[in-house]
Amino acid sequence: MSAKDLQNVTGGDRPNERQAIQAELDRRAEGQRLTPAQRRIAQCLVERSAEIGFLSSIELAELAHVSQPSVTRFAIALGFDGYLEMRKFLRAGVAGGANPVAVQANRYQAAALAEISNLTELVETLSDEAQINEIGRALAESQPLTVLGLRISASLAAHFEFYASRVHPDVRLIVQGGSMLEDQLEQSALAGGRVLLAFMLPLHPKETIHALEYARQLGMKIILITDASFVDHKGHADLIVKARVNTRLVFDCYAASATLVTVLLDAMCGNSDDLAQKRLEHFDRSSRKRRVFAG
């Protein structure tokens, strides 16, 4: 019997079971970083909750578009001896004891709800206003100001640099690794730059850690923006701010991190001198004169 036939026989997924299975998978995966293939397997288990008792590991692999060994590795990663034990537990132990929940959400809605939770956690992080203002002053006073973001972190670093350059006279963006990275850090330090704002999100590149160590050797103050899973930061940064990354879907989502970027920009502007406001006003006048924007 095919998976599609099974869904017809069982009457489809039951929302209460989906919520219970999702909660159990989240609990067991806490502290781990699931691969995109493993996340897809988890999604299929939640979506096909009514079929768990009937699906073989091969059928689950086909539904998730992964290999059968990936399903076995996923089960072991969650603490089971293998797929059969995981299937039995999820079907009998979790789905059978599911409690009604107030909100029934599909996996896309669940991902958005998880992001709301991450933003709520960020609210608590930002309660230390003195620390945020300290970072803002450090960013404003460093000339040049060096901003580092490699691999996935490059987009957040570029986002910060794009707006920061409107008010800061000299922002230097580093988004490429290799020996050129060291050259750029050294040039910035020689030009008087005393602060490195570094973004390092999962997976955490070794090149970024090396860059932090080299910046430390150059005497730069390091402000690190990272995620809640990164704990090996001792000695890597003078100031660290964390924003949790959403791992509910196949690829990560960074809404809390993006919000943090805007917060830091605001803190930098709030701790800048009057020249910063004049630069911003000049840019606004210039863009209107050149008709840069359509609106």
Side-chain angles (χ1 to χ4, degrees), residues 166-167 272-282 284:
R166 301 292 184 267
V167 295
S272 298
D273 55 27
D274 292 339
L275 288 176
Q277 182 61 34
K278 291 180 180 179
R279 291 188 192 94
L280 185 58
E281 291 173 355
H282 172 77
D284 288 339

Side-chain angles (χ1 to χ4, degrees), residues 122-133:
L122 180 62
V123 170
E124 294 299 318
T125 299
L126 298 177
S127 63
D128 189 351
E129 190 173 356
Q131 183 192 51
I132 301 302
N133 281 323

Side-chain angles (χ1 to χ4, degrees), residues 18-19 22 39-40 43-44 46-47 103-116 246-251 253:
R18 292 201 298 271
Q19 293 287 338
Q22 181 69 71
R39 294 182 195 183
R40 185 57 191 153
Q43 289 170 359
C44 283
V46 173
E47 292 170 352
V103 178
Q104 312 300 346
N106 62 40
R107 65 189 180 96
Y108 304 118
Q109 291 174 307
L113 289 169
E115 204 64 86
I116 292 173
N246 186 349
T247 60
R248 282 297 188 99
L249 300 176
V250 173
F251 297 109
C253 185

